[in-house]
Amino acid sequence: MKRLYVHPLPVRIWHWLNAGGFVAMIITGVQIRYVGQIDLMSFRIAVNLHNLVGFVLIANFLLWFSFYLFTDKIKVYHPELSPMKHFRASFRQLAYYGYGIFKGDPNPHHVSVYKKFNAVQSMSYQIIMLLLFPIQFFTGILLWDVQRFSGMVELFGGVRVVDTVHVLTFIVFAAFIFIHPYLTTLGRTPTAHIKAMFTGYEEIEDKTPVTSEGEIQQPIKKTGSRVA
């Protein structure tokens, strides 16, 4: 067993701050939506906390984006350069999640420094981080001060449309909060991936040599010269 440093400290700080923030956003969001039916806190406290945490998450997102944009770690989010290769890798990973894992088959993905996400994770996280996050933040800012942004709110169809998009995106994130912890238990041990997000190190088996790009190394065939 060897340890591979795949989660830099800035990423770990972002991850846990983001996780705690989204739990707070979900709780306060539900309280705001169902005021009078759920009484975890007053409506005013829920609104103020929701807004405050929202801006913290926006700042956190910008720090995450800057870290990946200006370092070589952006490689971990790149899909395969070949669409067909990426499709085949995604199919193998989905087959493993849906069938192979229950048979005890090995995970087709091999973690490396620049390939810590499998093909399904890579595409899913890019959709979440580069599409859904900005949509949620943008609609949240519009709803934060409808009067100030009235012109833009009307441009997008009015408060009801903006609010509907915000709530639908919220539902996706709420579902992710439940799905993500389950997926974290699919490592070498149920707590291996969780531990790695605290220490930064993933533990991988030495049996299969893997390159820095996550590809399985092929044994080098040695040829000898014959002496007459």
Side-chain angles (χ1 to χ4, degrees), residues 86-152:
H86 184 75
F87 173 79
R88 288 197 297 266
S90 299
F91 182 80
R92 287 195 299 269
Q93 198 65 40
L94 288 172
Y96 169 73
Y97 282 146
Y99 179 68
I101 191 172
F102 301 107
K103 292 174 36 181
D105 292 346
N107 192 328
H109 176 70
H110 302 278
V111 175
S112 71
V113 174
Y114 291 108
K115 202 171 183 181
K116 66 179 181 179
F117 299 131
N118 62 51
V120 175
Q121 289 173 322
S122 173
M123 187 56 64
S124 298
Y125 288 151
Q126 288 183 81
I127 292 174
I128 290 172
M129 299 304 300
L130 300 179
L131 179 63
L132 296 184
F133 265 42
I135 288 175
Q136 188 73 343
F137 294 151
F138 182 69
T139 55
I141 291 175
L142 295 183
L143 294 171
W144 167 64
D145 196 334
V146 176
Q147 293 298 323
R148 177 179 299 180
F149 302 110
S150 59
M152 194 168 293

Side-chain angles (χ1 to χ4, degrees), residues 6 33 43 50 61 101 111 114 118 120 125 138 144-145 156 170 177 187 196-197 213 223 226:
V6 297
R33 176 65 56 175
F43 180 77
H50 195 80
F61 171 80
I101 191 172
V111 175
Y114 291 108
N118 62 51
V120 175
Y125 288 151
F138 182 69
W144 167 64
D145 196 334
F156 288 105
F170 153 79
I177 289 294
M197 284 309 300
E213 297 300 323
T223 57
R226 294 178 61 184

